Amino acid sequence: ERDALFAAASDLRNEFLGESIRRVTEPVEMMLPDKLLAAVSASGERLGGASSSPSPTGEGGVSDDLPTSHDLKRYVQLLVAELERCEGCQELLFKEVVRSVRSSVLLFATRLEQVVDTSCVELRCFEDETRFKLRSPLPMPAAGHARNARLFGIAHHTLAALKETVPPRFQAVIVTQQVQSTLQQTQGAIVSPMFAGLRRILTASLVCLENPLEGRTEDGSPMLLAVSQVCAHLSRCYLSLFGAGQLFAHTKELCIFFVRTFLSAAALVKPCGEPVRKVLAQDMQAIEMALSAVDVDFQTNIRHEASVFREFRRLLCAPSIEAVDFEGIARVMPLHLLLAYLVHQLPEEVPSLPAFCGVSASQYLETKLMPLWEENQDAALDAFRGKIGELSDQHDLDPG
């Protein structure tokens, strides 16, 4: 009888589910209609003769047609209403409606990404990155940058609205990892190239540490100063387009990378006598300016790395190795970083760790030192210490 009842109601069920799909899909098509998607070229640029002149406010064109925070709240409320409408009929309706609601959110995220201006996702501040020649003047945001910042905010607010508005009993089936990842992917498409570019230029600038006393000005290394200048420009003109706190995870990750990469590279500098230590301390000021530009509160937001940064500076500024409070420093500084620094204070005839391992400094930095900052690297740390032991044995050094 139960199966017969289900069969008799199948037409009504299918009709209801069809209407349900329409109810959760139409809002997406209204917020991000086909005509809006069609107005954006494959490269992400506005078609139809739109102006390419800078418009940091993002007024006009595509940006005017984007959904507001009110639209997003109403959209999520509609999704919740649809779930509640079918909640009492778990077998016949609810599971299908859950799939429809998830598909609606995924459709929204997909359409949102189609409106991203891909011509504005990379920051081009250098005429020639290999020579660190800055453009003059530095580029200013165009309308596409402002639009992308709004799209990032829309993805951010959509995810926040889903977490805040969807009742706890629906969270696990609606705010799934797939849904979150898809919205975050849209955000990543907007900001990841920009932050990856900053990582790339910092890494490239560290070539100056191979001969730290050469090519300097009174203010420090021109390469590192250029990185600092780009970070300041980026923060003032580009990151300011995004909503407060929306970029927190990205700026935090970037600041951590800056600290870890610079300190690891500085620990490998050899020879490292007093003149070199002085210029490294000066270079730390350039890195600190870059960090402050990206996140004025970096000392709070990356507390551990900021503490290591301070201890490394104390290490550099110590009048002699005997004056160093190693017990205090070891409580803060990762062991691998401290050991690498100390090994490179040995006499000049003792090779550097990269030279001893037969690799370049940049390769050693990337493959050996940087991974040791991560958690659960006991085996790698043991191997690192073992290599230092081999170095000591070959050069008759007393590890004590």
mmCIF file of all heavy atoms in Angstrom, residues 250-277:
data_model
loop_
_atom_site.group_PDB
_atom_site.id
_atom_site.type_symbol
_atom_site.label_atom_id
_atom_site.label_comp_id
_atom_site.label_asym_id
_atom_site.label_seq_id
_atom_site.Cartn_x
_atom_site.Cartn_y
_atom_site.Cartn_z
ATOM 1 N N HIS A 250 44.395 35.793 3.941
ATOM 2 C CA HIS A 250 45.404 35.938 2.881
ATOM 3 C C HIS A 250 46.577 36.791 3.341
ATOM 4 O O HIS A 250 47.746 36.462 3.064
ATOM 5 C CB HIS A 250 44.762 36.548 1.638
ATOM 6 C CG HIS A 250 43.712 35.680 1.019
ATOM 7 N ND1 HIS A 250 44.002 34.687 0.108
ATOM 8 C CD2 HIS A 250 42.365 35.641 1.189
ATOM 9 C CE1 HIS A 250 42.880 34.076 -0.260
ATOM 10 N NE2 HIS A 250 41.890 34.633 0.378
ATOM 11 N N THR A 251 46.306 37.910 4.033
ATOM 12 C CA THR A 251 47.399 38.758 4.497
ATOM 13 C C THR A 251 48.195 38.068 5.598
ATOM 14 O O THR A 251 49.421 38.211 5.663
ATOM 15 C CB THR A 251 46.868 40.113 5.001
ATOM 16 O OG1 THR A 251 45.875 39.905 6.017
ATOM 17 C CG2 THR A 251 46.256 40.909 3.855
ATOM 18 N N LYS A 252 47.516 37.308 6.437
ATOM 19 C CA LYS A 252 48.231 36.574 7.489
ATOM 20 C C LYS A 252 49.190 35.556 6.874
ATOM 21 O O LYS A 252 50.358 35.467 7.270
ATOM 22 C CB LYS A 252 47.230 35.865 8.400
ATOM 23 C CG LYS A 252 47.879 35.048 9.508
ATOM 24 C CD LYS A 252 46.842 34.373 10.400
ATOM 25 C CE LYS A 252 47.514 33.556 11.493
ATOM 26 N NZ LYS A 252 46.520 32.913 12.389
ATOM 27 N N GLU A 253 48.695 34.808 5.906
ATOM 28 C CA GLU A 253 49.531 33.808 5.245
ATOM 29 C C GLU A 253 50.727 34.458 4.552
ATOM 30 O O GLU A 253 51.848 33.940 4.595
ATOM 31 C CB GLU A 253 48.688 33.034 4.234
ATOM 32 C CG GLU A 253 49.404 31.884 3.558
ATOM 33 C CD GLU A 253 48.519 31.143 2.569
ATOM 34 O OE1 GLU A 253 47.287 31.287 2.644
ATOM 35 O OE2 GLU A 253 49.085 30.428 1.730
ATOM 36 N N LEU A 254 50.502 35.625 3.934
ATOM 37 C CA LEU A 254 51.587 36.326 3.249
ATOM 38 C C LEU A 254 52.641 36.810 4.249
ATOM 39 O O LEU A 254 53.851 36.670 4.008
ATOM 40 C CB LEU A 254 51.035 37.516 2.461
ATOM 41 C CG LEU A 254 52.074 38.318 1.682
ATOM 42 C CD1 LEU A 254 52.647 37.502 0.532
ATOM 43 C CD2 LEU A 254 51.478 39.623 1.164
ATOM 44 N N CYS A 255 52.200 37.374 5.361
ATOM 45 C CA CYS A 255 53.143 37.867 6.363
ATOM 46 C C CYS A 255 53.971 36.721 6.945
ATOM 47 O O CYS A 255 55.185 36.871 7.163
ATOM 48 C CB CYS A 255 52.393 38.599 7.475
ATOM 49 S SG CYS A 255 51.734 40.211 6.988
ATOM 50 N N ILE A 256 53.334 35.593 7.198
ATOM 51 C CA ILE A 256 54.066 34.421 7.693
ATOM 52 C C ILE A 256 55.125 34.002 6.681
ATOM 53 O O ILE A 256 56.277 33.714 7.038
ATOM 54 C CB ILE A 256 53.092 33.262 7.984
ATOM 55 C CG1 ILE A 256 52.256 33.576 9.234
ATOM 56 C CG2 ILE A 256 53.840 31.937 8.163
ATOM 57 C CD1 ILE A 256 51.149 32.578 9.511
ATOM 58 N N PHE A 257 54.752 33.982 5.417
ATOM 59 C CA PHE A 257 55.699 33.606 4.366
ATOM 60 C C PHE A 257 56.873 34.578 4.319
ATOM 61 O O PHE A 257 58.035 34.165 4.199
ATOM 62 C CB PHE A 257 54.985 33.572 3.010
ATOM 63 C CG PHE A 257 55.889 33.248 1.851
ATOM 64 C CD1 PHE A 257 56.185 31.939 1.527
ATOM 65 C CD2 PHE A 257 56.462 34.270 1.096
ATOM 66 C CE1 PHE A 257 57.037 31.638 0.465
ATOM 67 C CE2 PHE A 257 57.306 33.991 0.034
ATOM 68 C CZ PHE A 257 57.594 32.670 -0.278
ATOM 69 N N PHE A 258 56.592 35.881 4.409
ATOM 70 C CA PHE A 258 57.655 36.885 4.368
ATOM 71 C C PHE A 258 58.657 36.653 5.492
ATOM 72 O O PHE A 258 59.872 36.665 5.272
ATOM 73 C CB PHE A 258 57.049 38.289 4.486
ATOM 74 C CG PHE A 258 56.772 38.945 3.165
ATOM 75 C CD1 PHE A 258 56.247 38.218 2.102
ATOM 76 C CD2 PHE A 258 57.004 40.296 2.976
ATOM 77 C CE1 PHE A 258 55.978 38.825 0.884
ATOM 78 C CE2 PHE A 258 56.748 40.915 1.763
ATOM 79 C CZ PHE A 258 56.232 40.185 0.716
ATOM 80 N N VAL A 259 58.168 36.475 6.719
ATOM 81 C CA VAL A 259 59.059 36.308 7.865
ATOM 82 C C VAL A 259 59.875 35.029 7.725
ATOM 83 O O VAL A 259 61.109 35.033 7.867
ATOM 84 C CB VAL A 259 58.257 36.290 9.183
ATOM 85 C CG1 VAL A 259 59.153 35.892 10.362
ATOM 86 C CG2 VAL A 259 57.634 37.655 9.444
ATOM 87 N N ARG A 260 59.209 33.929 7.450
ATOM 88 C CA ARG A 260 59.904 32.639 7.381
ATOM 89 C C ARG A 260 60.935 32.619 6.258
ATOM 90 O O ARG A 260 62.057 32.124 6.430
ATOM 91 C CB ARG A 260 58.893 31.505 7.184
ATOM 92 C CG ARG A 260 57.997 31.268 8.390
ATOM 93 C CD ARG A 260 57.024 30.131 8.129
ATOM 94 N NE ARG A 260 56.218 29.824 9.294
ATOM 95 C CZ ARG A 260 55.330 28.830 9.366
ATOM 96 N NH1 ARG A 260 55.142 28.040 8.297
ATOM 97 N NH2 ARG A 260 54.638 28.616 10.464
ATOM 98 N N THR A 261 60.575 33.163 5.112
ATOM 99 C CA THR A 261 61.474 33.112 3.965
ATOM 100 C C THR A 261 62.689 34.000 4.181
ATOM 101 O O THR A 261 63.833 33.589 3.932
ATOM 102 C CB THR A 261 60.735 33.528 2.681
ATOM 103 O OG1 THR A 261 59.588 32.691 2.505
ATOM 104 C CG2 THR A 261 61.628 33.384 1.466
ATOM 105 N N PHE A 262 62.458 35.235 4.642
ATOM 106 C CA PHE A 262 63.598 36.127 4.847
ATOM 107 C C PHE A 262 64.528 35.597 5.930
ATOM 108 O O PHE A 262 65.759 35.573 5.745
ATOM 109 C CB PHE A 262 63.135 37.537 5.223
ATOM 110 C CG PHE A 262 64.298 38.439 5.551
ATOM 111 C CD1 PHE A 262 65.032 39.026 4.537
ATOM 112 C CD2 PHE A 262 64.677 38.652 6.872
ATOM 113 C CE1 PHE A 262 66.142 39.820 4.833
ATOM 114 C CE2 PHE A 262 65.776 39.442 7.180
ATOM 115 C CZ PHE A 262 66.507 40.032 6.154
ATOM 116 N N LEU A 263 63.988 35.174 7.084
ATOM 117 C CA LEU A 263 64.847 34.701 8.160
ATOM 118 C C LEU A 263 65.617 33.453 7.748
ATOM 119 O O LEU A 263 66.794 33.299 8.100
ATOM 120 C CB LEU A 263 64.020 34.416 9.417
ATOM 121 C CG LEU A 263 63.368 35.631 10.093
ATOM 122 C CD1 LEU A 263 62.684 35.219 11.394
ATOM 123 C CD2 LEU A 263 64.376 36.744 10.341
ATOM 124 N N SER A 264 64.976 32.567 7.002
ATOM 125 C CA SER A 264 65.669 31.359 6.535
ATOM 126 C C SER A 264 66.821 31.724 5.608
ATOM 127 O O SER A 264 67.913 31.160 5.703
ATOM 128 C CB SER A 264 64.689 30.425 5.824
ATOM 129 O OG SER A 264 63.662 29.997 6.703
ATOM 130 N N ALA A 265 66.578 32.676 4.714
ATOM 131 C CA ALA A 265 67.634 33.103 3.788
ATOM 132 C C ALA A 265 68.756 33.813 4.545
ATOM 133 O O ALA A 265 69.944 33.614 4.256
ATOM 134 C CB ALA A 265 67.049 34.020 2.719
ATOM 135 N N ALA A 266 68.387 34.636 5.534
ATOM 136 C CA ALA A 266 69.396 35.362 6.308
ATOM 137 C C ALA A 266 70.261 34.404 7.120
ATOM 138 O O ALA A 266 71.461 34.645 7.307
ATOM 139 C CB ALA A 266 68.717 36.365 7.234
ATOM 140 N N ALA A 267 69.661 33.311 7.596
ATOM 141 C CA ALA A 267 70.418 32.342 8.388
ATOM 142 C C ALA A 267 71.460 31.613 7.555
ATOM 143 O O ALA A 267 72.398 31.038 8.105
ATOM 144 C CB ALA A 267 69.465 31.334 9.031
ATOM 145 N N LEU A 268 71.318 31.629 6.234
ATOM 146 C CA LEU A 268 72.252 30.918 5.352
ATOM 147 C C LEU A 268 73.386 31.801 4.849
ATOM 148 O O LEU A 268 74.256 31.319 4.111
ATOM 149 C CB LEU A 268 71.490 30.342 4.149
ATOM 150 C CG LEU A 268 70.462 29.245 4.450
ATOM 151 C CD1 LEU A 268 69.742 28.834 3.168
ATOM 152 C CD2 LEU A 268 71.124 28.038 5.100
ATOM 153 N N VAL A 269 73.367 33.084 5.210
ATOM 154 C CA VAL A 269 74.388 33.996 4.706
ATOM 155 C C VAL A 269 75.759 33.635 5.297
ATOM 156 O O VAL A 269 75.900 33.444 6.509
ATOM 157 C CB VAL A 269 74.036 35.455 5.063
ATOM 158 C CG1 VAL A 269 75.189 36.388 4.698
ATOM 159 C CG2 VAL A 269 72.772 35.882 4.329
ATOM 160 N N LYS A 270 76.736 33.537 4.421
ATOM 161 C CA LYS A 270 78.105 33.221 4.835
ATOM 162 C C LYS A 270 79.072 33.840 3.826
ATOM 163 O O LYS A 270 78.832 33.726 2.623
ATOM 164 C CB LYS A 270 78.310 31.710 4.912
ATOM 165 C CG LYS A 270 79.675 31.298 5.491
ATOM 166 C CD LYS A 270 79.768 29.781 5.578
ATOM 167 C CE LYS A 270 81.124 29.379 6.146
ATOM 168 N NZ LYS A 270 81.252 29.744 7.561
ATOM 169 N N PRO A 271 80.139 34.527 4.275
ATOM 170 C CA PRO A 271 80.489 34.782 5.675
ATOM 171 C C PRO A 271 79.520 35.770 6.319
ATOM 172 O O PRO A 271 78.854 36.534 5.626
ATOM 173 C CB PRO A 271 81.893 35.367 5.577
ATOM 174 C CG PRO A 271 81.946 36.003 4.228
ATOM 175 C CD PRO A 271 81.123 35.123 3.341
ATOM 176 N N CYS A 272 79.489 35.734 7.668
ATOM 177 C CA CYS A 272 78.510 36.550 8.379
ATOM 178 C C CYS A 272 79.185 37.277 9.541
ATOM 179 O O CYS A 272 78.816 37.109 10.703
ATOM 180 C CB CYS A 272 77.361 35.675 8.874
ATOM 181 S SG CYS A 272 75.901 36.606 9.391
ATOM 182 N N GLY A 273 80.211 38.091 9.189
ATOM 183 C CA GLY A 273 80.896 38.885 10.199
ATOM 184 C C GLY A 273 80.065 40.086 10.609
ATOM 185 O O GLY A 273 78.925 40.271 10.167
ATOM 186 N N GLU A 274 80.624 40.937 11.409
ATOM 187 C CA GLU A 274 79.886 42.089 11.948
ATOM 188 C C GLU A 274 79.323 43.007 10.859
ATOM 189 O O GLU A 274 78.159 43.416 10.939
ATOM 190 C CB GLU A 274 80.775 42.884 12.907
ATOM 191 C CG GLU A 274 80.031 44.035 13.573
ATOM 192 C CD GLU A 274 80.894 44.792 14.556
ATOM 193 O OE1 GLU A 274 82.059 44.383 14.773
ATOM 194 O OE2 GLU A 274 80.422 45.806 15.102
ATOM 195 N N PRO A 275 80.085 43.356 9.798
ATOM 196 C CA PRO A 275 79.504 44.216 8.751
ATOM 197 C C PRO A 275 78.286 43.585 8.084
ATOM 198 O O PRO A 275 77.308 44.278 7.778
ATOM 199 C CB PRO A 275 80.662 44.379 7.757
ATOM 200 C CG PRO A 275 81.894 44.106 8.547
ATOM 201 C CD PRO A 275 81.505 43.048 9.530
ATOM 202 N N VAL A 276 78.348 42.283 7.866
ATOM 203 C CA VAL A 276 77.216 41.600 7.233
ATOM 204 C C VAL A 276 76.019 41.570 8.182
ATOM 205 O O VAL A 276 74.876 41.789 7.763
ATOM 206 C CB VAL A 276 77.606 40.167 6.808
ATOM 207 C CG1 VAL A 276 76.372 39.395 6.334
ATOM 208 C CG2 VAL A 276 78.643 40.216 5.698
ATOM 209 N N ARG A 277 76.276 41.318 9.455
ATOM 210 C CA ARG A 277 75.166 41.290 10.415
ATOM 211 C C ARG A 277 74.481 42.653 10.494
ATOM 212 O O ARG A 277 73.262 42.737 10.647
ATOM 213 C CB ARG A 277 75.663 40.846 11.787
ATOM 214 C CG ARG A 277 76.096 39.377 11.827
ATOM 215 C CD ARG A 277 76.177 38.860 13.247
ATOM 216 N NE ARG A 277 77.179 39.569 14.047
ATOM 217 C CZ ARG A 277 78.462 39.235 14.105
ATOM 218 N NH1 ARG A 277 78.915 38.213 13.391
ATOM 219 N NH2 ARG A 277 79.299 39.928 14.867
#
